[in-house]
């Protein structure tokens, strides 16, 4: 979990500078991106890469990420591409920032795609690391 807390969760909004979310920190710049009634908007940062924190081939990770994105589209959810990045190693995972996703639904998606933890928040409030599955 220490690695999850240290990860930089980077979002690439269309036609805007990247936003970096850090666990336990507020993100005032997120308000401009979230738009009207931003304070009430829930969000979650999700990935389908490396289930149960076990590395797997890039092709499998990409296929799982496409499945997650298809799942989000089928639910009518808006999302923006992003990636989880280590601040001190080359590790990266493709991810998405999902808008207007209730916390329990985000946790369920994290479990469905084998994630030990996800990051959730509301408005510009602090990013929170949320456990989905116990570490193996």
């Amino acid at each position: 979990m220490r690695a999850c807390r240290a990860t930089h969760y980077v979002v690439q909004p269309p036609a805007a500078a990247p936003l970096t979310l850090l666990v336990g920190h507020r993100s005032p710049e997120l308000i401009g991106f979230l738009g009207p009634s931003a304070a009430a908007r829930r969000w979650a940062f999700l990935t389908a890469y490396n289930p149960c924190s076990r590395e797997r081939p890039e092709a499998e990770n990409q296929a799982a990420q496409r499945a997650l994105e298809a799942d989000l589209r089928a639910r009518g959810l808006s999302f923006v591409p992003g990636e989880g990045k280590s601040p001190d190693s080359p590790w990266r995972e493709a991810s998405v920032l999902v808008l207007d996703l209730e916390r329990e639904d985000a946790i369920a998606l994290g479990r469905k795609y084998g994630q030990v933890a996800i990051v959730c928040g509301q408005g510009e409030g602090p990013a929170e690391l949320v456990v989905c599955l116990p570490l193996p």
Side-chain angles (χ1 to χ4, degrees), residues 20-31:
T20 299
L21 307 172
L22 301 171
V23 171
H25 294 264
R26 295 170 49 89
S27 298
E29 66 276 11
L30 201 52
I31 287 297

Side-chain angles (χ1 to χ4, degrees), residues 49-57 61 93 114 116 135-136:
Y49 269 52
N50 302 319
C52 296
S53 297
R54 293 191 186 116
E55 284 191 52
R56 68 176 171 184
N61 280 328
E93 288 185 348
V116 172
L135 280 172

Side-chain angles (χ1 to χ4, degrees), residues 55-76:
E55 284 191 52
R56 68 176 171 184
E58 183 66 17
E60 289 179 32
N61 280 328
Q62 289 175 355
Q65 190 68 19
R66 284 191 301 273
L68 167 62
E69 292 175 12
D71 200 350
L72 296 171
R73 280 187 206 92
R75 295 170 187 233

Side-chain angles (χ1 to χ4, degrees), residues 26-43:
R26 295 170 49 89
S27 298
E29 66 276 11
L30 201 52
I31 287 297
F33 172 67
L34 292 175
S37 64
R41 289 188 85 176
R42 296 185 182 281
W43 54 266

Side-chain angles (χ1 to χ4, degrees), residues 63-89:
Q65 190 68 19
R66 284 191 301 273
L68 167 62
E69 292 175 12
D71 200 350
L72 296 171
R73 280 187 206 92
R75 295 170 187 233
L77 294 166
S78 298
F79 60 91
V80 185
E83 68 179 357
K85 296 169 41 170
S86 169
D88 53 3
S89 81

Side-chain angles (χ1 to χ4, degrees), residues 58-127:
E58 183 66 17
E60 289 179 32
N61 280 328
Q62 289 175 355
Q65 190 68 19
R66 284 191 301 273
L68 167 62
E69 292 175 12
D71 200 350
L72 296 171
R73 280 187 206 92
R75 295 170 187 233
L77 294 166
S78 298
F79 60 91
V80 185
E83 68 179 357
K85 296 169 41 170
S86 169
D88 53 3
S89 81
W91 171 85
R92 295 169 179 258
E93 288 185 348
S95 305
V96 289
L97 176 74
V98 186
L99 305 177
D100 301 319
L101 181 62
E102 293 297 324
R103 181 184 172 110
E104 290 306 315
D105 293 333
I107 292 168
L109 281 167
R111 287 184 183 134
K112 178 177 180 178
Y113 290 94
Q115 299 303 301
V116 172
I118 59 172
V119 176
C120 292
Q122 184 170 342
E124 70 176 89

